[in-house]
């Protein structure tokens, strides 16, 4: 029998929003949250040691694109609802109301509010549905807007320290002060309502756990459920007094707030964990069981780019206790088995407990793609410089998503724009025109055949890039402005620094640092293409500009000799100054131009991110043949690493190249490395020397996959035999056989050392 989808929650949410359209935005949001939760919370399943599942709903409120592809803020998953209509999966009595609801949210959702505020300069660049009606990540665009409030790292330490009753008391005091001073007391009323939603959600799960315990015939499971019920009940009325209570509260806040990140768990859970161990309140196996349940929930509910848990690093309050929890997190990853989540991240530094790195490398060598390795000795000073913050604030940097960096609960910087650097070069060679569609996508800066020097052409390319960077910076700022008008983002405002003392919501002047980041793709291919243009057209003059354009337009058919010359040109990743210097110049121009946008916007920072989240392959589909020898539609290089197979001179040359671009002018650069099992396990001394050299020479981070290239080839031929083969895509992991074929082939093309 076909399942009938009930849209009662979505309809009630919509009506509540409409009833509160003239209310204060905090009150409207809080009333909507009361409809959303606990209505969308899922049931406690067999084996769950923690309560906290959600079905999200197809209409609702969330900061970060949940459910997937719903943008952010007030969302409506139009396509899912239309699918239900077409299948006849809506009760007849709801159909008219559901269709009317779709029409209402078409203009009222948060993404639509931003798009309706686009300036005349932004419209032709960012809003191109009339050209190619496809999802945003398939459009042949150079600059693409992204709608989300990603990288949410709330102050979990404060949450654990105060608990829900303590937060309620603090907010009440601020509300009373606001009333007395004629401030915005309604913001605080909304916050109090939001806290009550969390209390109600905890009590909702408590009631369910008690009922399941009573009905359970297994005495061991029944006792687990009774413990869970007690934890949920205590969290509703007092601050956490045990590791279990703190873990449950943190998870519930993550779920209801939609943050999807858990931050520095070793800091905010380490003390309670060690206390409970030493007091005999909990055993290590019991703690491991709770953590394994958390790992399971994250894997079942989150997407592959979410679920960051950070351990290690400078700036921790109690390193000894934090390290013991960090070892627990590593053990959880080992015993849980290979999985794409959580994105366990080790921040390390010289002088840190060596056992953390030792255990981490053991995990990676066993085929896990976690933890990700971040070098604090490089990144802390780099973040301080790039973000213009103190070293103490930089010590609280938080990696997120696909490789971006923000500041823990003091600074927000969602990545809300994507720049296809190689596509920008593609149109620069043709006076700003995309030859695939015969449409103008860029500025009329001249044709490659018109330039007399390489420097003039490079300057035109830089002008093109600056144009798109400015528009994406304007979009980032506009997204915050419009978001602040529509909602208070109560769960973020509650646990981000300065919002409560200032009496302002996070995107309305409350947060200390409001920044942003721009995701860039194809920089390495663009640099290698510039190298080929410089050498072949301008320096050696072995190919004319006319001939090169003809070869590219023909996708090298009939121009095999010219393509071979392009392939044989120097390439980034081989410690060749001819190629590397151009990569460094392009990198510095993009990063500094992005960074300079803070001077013309109200953003506290705006920084480039060199990442890969499959977009290097997806966006490459819309780029024609390029002068580095890449064919039309082929993948672009992965983040800050050489294009597949272009690093031909060994690991030392690779390291010497990839440490040249500065890490003090951007918000993250992914460095993927792939090692064979034999090298990782049988030549440990050489491996450790390689990594030590890389990090000492300025390597900021490493995302390592240990796998033999033959395994990838076999997985392509017999995928059913390789269900547990996991790889690093860029800033996240995935099961290899689940990836699109062209993404699989791009990963296969990468060098294995």
């Amino acid at each position: 029998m076909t399942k009938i989808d009930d849209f009662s929650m979505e309809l009630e949410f919509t009506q509540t929003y409409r009833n509160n359209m003239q209310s204060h935005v905090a009150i409207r949001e809080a009333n909507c949250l009361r409809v959303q939760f606990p209505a969308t919370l899922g049931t406690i399943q067999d084996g769950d040691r923690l309560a906290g599942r959600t079905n999200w709903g197809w209409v609702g409120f969330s900061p970060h694109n949940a459910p997937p592809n719903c943008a952010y803020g007030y969302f409506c998953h139009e396509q899912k609802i239309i699918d239900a209509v077409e299948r006849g999966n809506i009760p007849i009595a709801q159909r008219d109301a559901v269709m009317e609801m779709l029409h209402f949210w078409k203009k009222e959702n948060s993404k639509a509010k931003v798009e309706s505020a686009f300036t005349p300069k932004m419209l032709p660049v960012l809003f191109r549905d009339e050209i190619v009606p496809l999802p945003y990540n398939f459009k042949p665009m150079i600059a693409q807007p992204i709608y989300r409030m990603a990288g949410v790292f709330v102050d979990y330490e404060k949450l654990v320290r105060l608990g829900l009753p303590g937060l309620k008391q603090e907010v009440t005091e601020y509300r009373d002060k606001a009333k007395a001073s004629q401030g915005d007391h309604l913001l605080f009323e909304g916050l109090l309502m939001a806290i009550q939603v969390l209390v109600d959600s905890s009590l909702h799960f408590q009631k369910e756990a008690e009922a399941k315990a009573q009905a359970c015939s297994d005495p061991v499971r029944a006792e687990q459920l009774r413990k869970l019920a007690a934890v949920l009940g205590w969290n509703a009325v007092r601050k956490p007094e045990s590791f279990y209570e703190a873990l449950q509260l943190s998870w519930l806040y993550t779920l209801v707030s939609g943050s999807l990140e858990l931050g520095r768990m070793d800091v905010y859970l380490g003390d309670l964990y060690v206390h409970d161990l030493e007091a005999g309140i909990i055993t290590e196996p019991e703690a491991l069981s709770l953590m394994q349940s958390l790992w399971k929930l994250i894997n079942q509910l989150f997407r592959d780019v979410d679920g960051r848990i950070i351990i290690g690093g400078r700036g921790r309050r109690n390193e000894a206790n934090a390290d013991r929890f960090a070892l627990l997190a590593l053990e959880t990853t080992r015993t849980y088995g290979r999985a794409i989540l959580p994105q366990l991240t080790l921040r390390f530094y010289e002088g840190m407990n060596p056992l953390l790195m030792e255990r981490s490398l053991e995990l990676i060598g066993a085929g896990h793609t976690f933890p990700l390795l971040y070098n604090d000795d490089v990144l802390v000073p780099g973040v301080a410089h790039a973000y213009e913050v103190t070293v103490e604030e930089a010590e609280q940097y938080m990696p997120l998503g696909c490789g971006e960096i923000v500041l823990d609960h003091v600074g927000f910087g969602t990545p809300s724009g994507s720049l296809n650097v190689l596509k920008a070069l593609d149109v620069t060679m043709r006076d700003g025109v995309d030859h695939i569609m015969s449409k103008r996508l860029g500025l009329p800066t001249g044709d490659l055949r018109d330039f007399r020097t390489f420097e003039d052409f490079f300057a035109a390319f830089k002008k093109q890039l600056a144009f798109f960077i400015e528009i994406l910076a304007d979009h980032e700022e506009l997204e915050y402005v419009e978001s602040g008008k529509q909602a208070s983002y109560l769960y973020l405002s509650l646990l981000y620094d300065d919002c409560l003392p200032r009496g302002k919501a996070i995107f309305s002047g409350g947060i200390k640092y409001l920044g942003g980041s721009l995701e860039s793709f194809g920089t390495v291919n663009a640099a290698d293409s510039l190298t080929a243009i410089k050498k072949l057209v301008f320096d050696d003059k072995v190919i004319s500009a006319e001939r090169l354009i003809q070869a590219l337009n023909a996708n090298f058919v009939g121009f095999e000799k010219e393509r071979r010359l392009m392939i044989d040109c120097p390439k980034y990743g081989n410690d060749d100054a001819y190629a590397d210097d151009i990569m460094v110049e392009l990198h510095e121009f993009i990063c500094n131009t992005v960074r300079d946008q803070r001077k013309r916007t109200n953003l506290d920072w705006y920084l480039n991110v060199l990442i890969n989240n499959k977009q290097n392959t997806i966006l490459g589909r819309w780029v024609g043949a390029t002068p580095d020898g890449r064919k039309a539609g082929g993948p672009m290089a992965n983040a800050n690493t050489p294009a597949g197979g272009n690093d031909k001179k060994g690991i030392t040359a690779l390291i010497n190249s990839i440490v040249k671009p500065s890490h003090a002018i951007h918000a993250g650069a992914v460095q993927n490395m792939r090692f064979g099992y034999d090298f990782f396990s049988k030549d440990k001394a050489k491996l450790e020397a390689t990594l030590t050299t890389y990090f000492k020479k300025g390597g900021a981070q490493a995302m390592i996959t240990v796998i033999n290239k033959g395994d990838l080839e076999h997985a392509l031929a017999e995928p059913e035999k390789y269900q547990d083969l996991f790889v690093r895509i860029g800033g996240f992991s995935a099961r290899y056989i689940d990836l699109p074929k062209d993404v699989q082939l791009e990963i296969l093309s990468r060098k294995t050392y």
Side-chain angles (χ1 to χ4, degrees):
M1 180 181 243
T2 302
K3 178 182 177 292
I4 300 297
D5 295 323
D6 182 7
F7 286 86
S8 297
M9 187 286 294
E10 287 84 352
L11 291 169
E12 184 181 357
F13 185 98
T14 303
Q15 190 58 50
T16 300
Y17 181 95
R18 299 176 98 159
N19 292 343
N20 286 271
M21 289 185 73
Q22 303 306 314
S23 302
H24 189 287
V25 292
I27 302 301
R28 178 175 65 193
E29 180 185 334
N31 279 319
C32 287
L33 289 171
R34 290 201 295 196
V35 175
Q36 191 172 356
F37 301 105
T40 60
L41 295 178
T43 61
I44 300 169
Q45 296 184 9
D46 291 344
D48 285 354
R49 303 296 311 279
L50 299 169
R53 295 176 179 275
T54 181
N55 301 313
W56 301 115
W58 300 127
V59 171
F61 183 87
S62 176
H64 182 20
N65 201 14
N69 303 317
C70 276
Y72 77 106
Y74 289 104
F75 65 82
C76 175
H77 204 317
E78 180 179 307
Q79 190 56 54
K80 290 289 186 181
I81 298 173
I82 290 175
D83 288 347
V85 171
E86 291 179 346
R87 294 193 310 270
N89 284 9
I90 294 180
I92 296 298
Q94 289 185 354
R95 190 184 186 285
D96 289 346
V98 167
M99 295 307 299
E100 196 279 332
M101 176 179 73
L102 277 176
H103 293 172
F104 173 78
W105 286 112
K106 193 75 174 178
K107 293 184 178 180
E108 202 64 28
N109 72 79
S110 295
K111 176 188 174 201
K113 292 287 187 180
V114 177
E115 289 183 338
S116 67
F118 276 4
T119 65
K121 182 180 179 181
M122 297 165 67
L123 273 169
V125 175
L126 300 182
F127 196 76
R128 307 190 70 90
D129 283 333
E130 75 285 357
I131 296 177
V132 180
L134 295 169
Y136 84 87
N137 58 348
F138 285 96
K139 294 178 187 174
M141 298 165 63
I142 296 171
Q144 302 185 62
I146 305 174
Y147 295 94
R148 61 191 176 190
M149 290 298 169
V152 176
F153 290 98
V154 298
D155 191 349
Y156 283 105
E157 191 167 10
K158 180 178 179 180
L159 173 67
V160 170
R161 185 177 72 252
L162 297 181
L164 298 180
L167 287 174
K168 182 177 180 181
Q169 180 180 347
E170 183 181 43
V171 172
T172 299
E173 292 171 357
Y174 277 114
R175 180 202 60 187
D176 294 343
K177 291 178 182 177
K179 281 184 176 180
S181 62
Q182 305 301 308
D184 185 6
H185 71 278
L186 291 178
L187 169 62
F188 296 105
E189 295 289 1
L191 288 166
L192 290 171
M193 294 166 66
I195 294 171
Q196 188 60 44
V197 169
L198 285 165
V199 171
D200 293 343
S201 297
S202 191
L203 294 174
H204 165 86
F205 280 127
Q206 179 195 22
K207 185 177 179 180
E208 182 190 357
E210 289 173 341
K212 285 183 176 290
Q214 190 170 1
C216 184
S217 59
D218 180 355
V220 175
R221 178 58 179 161
E223 179 60 23
Q224 288 180 348
L225 289 166
R226 282 191 290 270
K227 283 184 178 180
L228 177 57
V231 164
L232 291 160
W234 283 122
N235 279 344
V237 297
R238 74 178 189 197
K239 70 178 183 179
E241 294 183 358
S242 70
F243 169 71
Y244 195 171
E245 292 169 11
L247 183 64
Q248 174 62 70
L249 180 59
S250 302
W251 172 245
L252 184 62
Y253 200 98
T254 300
L255 200 66
V256 174
S257 71
S259 71
L260 310 187
E261 313 285 5
L262 285 141
R264 304 189 82 170
M265 294 191 81
D266 57 349
V267 174
Y268 64 83
L269 293 181
D271 290 348
L272 283 170
Y273 169 61
V274 173
H275 171 271
D276 288 4
L277 280 178
E278 295 181 347
I281 296 171
I282 196 171
T283 64
E284 289 185 356
E286 175 75 0
L288 183 62
S289 175
L290 293 174
M291 292 290 286
Q292 289 169 339
S293 186
L294 176 66
W295 260 229
K296 180 177 74 172
L297 289 168
I298 292 173
N299 272 284
Q300 292 180 356
L301 295 173
F302 287 2
R303 292 154 297 185
D304 47 17
V305 298
D306 300 319
R308 281 274 185 165
I309 293 177
I310 290 97
I311 56 175
R314 297 189 180 278
R316 292 180 297 165
R317 175 173 40 79
N318 190 334
E319 286 197 18
N321 290 346
D323 284 349
R324 290 183 67 177
F325 178 88
L327 291 170
L328 172 66
L330 292 167
E331 180 66 5
T332 306
T333 292
R334 186 187 73 81
T335 55
Y336 183 78
R338 298 181 191 179
I340 63 171
L341 291 172
Q343 291 214 73
L344 186 63
T345 299
L346 175 69
R347 288 177 43 184
F348 66 93
Y349 56 93
E350 191 170 350
M352 188 182 75
N353 183 352
L355 189 57
L356 295 180
M357 180 62 79
E358 181 181 321
R359 294 283 173 83
S360 296
L361 292 178
E362 288 174 0
L363 279 173
I364 295 169
H368 296 270
T369 53
F370 299 107
L372 315 179
L373 305 178
Y374 281 74
N375 184 0
D376 274 15
D377 293 330
V378 171
L379 283 168
V380 169
V383 168
H385 180 269
Y387 293 69
E388 295 186 356
V389 296
T390 66
V391 170
E392 290 73 24
E393 289 172 321
E395 286 179 340
Q396 303 306 323
Y397 79 86
M398 305 292 268
L400 66 110
C402 303
E404 302 90 343
I405 288 174
V406 293
L407 302 178
D408 193 12
H409 66 78
V410 70
F412 197 87
T414 183
S416 290
S418 168
L419 179 67
N420 190 334
V421 177
L422 190 59
K423 185 73 177 180
L425 180 65
D426 193 36
V427 303
T428 303
M429 290 187 291
R430 300 171 174 88
D431 197 31
V433 174
D434 175 31
H435 70 290
I436 297 174
M437 299 189 305
S438 297
K439 298 278 187 180
R440 176 167 296 284
L441 295 184
L443 299 175
T445 52
D447 189 282
L448 177 62
R449 290 162 285 205
D450 300 332
F451 294 98
R452 302 187 64 180
T453 69
F454 172 75
E455 289 71 24
D456 289 343
F457 175 71
F458 202 168
F461 180 39
K462 291 176 179 177
K463 182 179 179 181
Q464 202 84 249
L465 290 171
F467 170 74
F468 291 108
I469 288 169
E470 283 191 9
I471 288 175
L472 288 170
D474 290 343
H475 172 263
E476 181 94 32
E477 181 179 21
L478 181 67
E479 190 172 48
Y480 286 136
V481 170
E482 295 302 316
S483 297
K485 290 178 182 177
Q486 199 182 20
S488 297
Y489 289 80
L490 294 167
Y491 290 124
L492 278 59
S493 298
L494 183 61
L495 288 178
Y496 264 90
D497 287 13
D498 290 12
C499 293
L500 296 185
R502 292 180 180 181
K504 295 181 180 180
I506 184 170
F507 304 131
S508 300
I511 193 171
K512 184 175 183 180
Y513 299 120
L514 186 59
S517 55
L518 182 158
E519 298 178 350
S520 63
F521 301 89
T523 300
V524 171
N525 293 90
D528 284 344
S529 293
L530 288 168
T531 299
I533 291 171
K534 181 177 188 296
K535 182 171 181 58
L536 300 177
V537 177
F538 292 100
D539 288 358
D540 296 352
K541 296 180 173 56
V542 295
I543 300 178
S544 69
E546 177 71 31
R547 186 75 175 167
L548 185 140
I549 293 294
Q550 289 175 352
L552 299 180
N553 289 345
N555 198 23
F556 303 117
V557 176
F559 295 87
E560 289 76 14
K561 177 182 176 182
E562 286 80 1
R563 184 181 183 226
R564 173 47 55 190
L565 289 171
M566 297 178 202
I567 290 174
D568 290 342
C569 277
K571 295 289 191 292
Y572 171 70
N574 298 286
D575 198 18
D576 186 326
Y578 194 96
D580 291 354
D581 288 354
I582 290 178
M583 173 60 187
V584 169
E585 182 178 352
L586 180 59
H587 168 84
E588 291 184 351
F589 174 79
I590 294 174
C591 290
N592 286 325
T593 302
V594 174
R595 191 166 178 260
D596 286 345
Q597 299 308 304
R598 73 184 78 190
K599 299 174 183 177
R600 48 175 298 276
T601 66
N602 290 314
L603 299 171
D604 291 301
W605 73 70
Y606 189 58
L607 296 166
N608 184 34
V609 189
L610 294 85
I611 63 169
N612 167 30
N613 49 14
K614 291 187 291 193
Q615 292 293 80
N616 71 311
T617 299
I618 292 170
L619 293 178
R621 296 169 186 167
W622 291 102
V623 183
T626 46
D628 58 344
R630 173 193 154 276
K631 287 193 172 182
M636 299 185 292
N638 181 293
N640 195 38
T641 46
N646 278 353
D647 45 330
K648 300 178 184 298
K649 293 188 177 180
I651 187 68
T652 301
L654 171 68
I655 287 173
N656 288 339
S657 285
I658 64 178
V659 298
K660 291 177 183 178
S662 171
H663 289 295
I665 51 177
H666 59 69
V670 171
Q671 303 285 185
N672 277 328
M673 299 179 181
R674 192 165 76 209
F675 297 103
Y677 281 118
D678 288 346
F679 179 67
F680 209 90
S681 60
K682 297 180 181 179
D683 206 345
K684 191 173 181 181
K686 186 175 180 180
L687 167 73
E688 291 179 352
T690 298
L691 291 177
T692 298
T693 299
Y694 166 63
F695 289 125
K696 282 189 175 295
K697 288 175 74 73
Q701 59 100 250
M703 298 185 176
I704 300 174
T705 301
V706 176
I707 195 169
N708 290 328
K709 187 173 183 179
D711 292 335
L712 299 176
E713 294 169 340
H714 296 323
L716 286 174
E718 299 179 286
E720 68 280 357
K721 296 182 179 180
Y722 291 86
Q723 298 288 326
D724 63 344
L725 188 64
F726 290 85
V727 294
R728 293 301 300 174
I729 308 301
F732 66 95
S733 294
R735 192 188 310 272
Y736 185 67
I737 64 172
D738 291 342
L739 294 167
K741 181 65 72 174
D742 56 351
V743 177
Q744 291 177 331
L745 294 174
E746 187 276 320
I747 293 170
L748 180 63
S749 74
R750 300 177 193 173
K751 181 80 171 179
T752 300
Y753 289 97

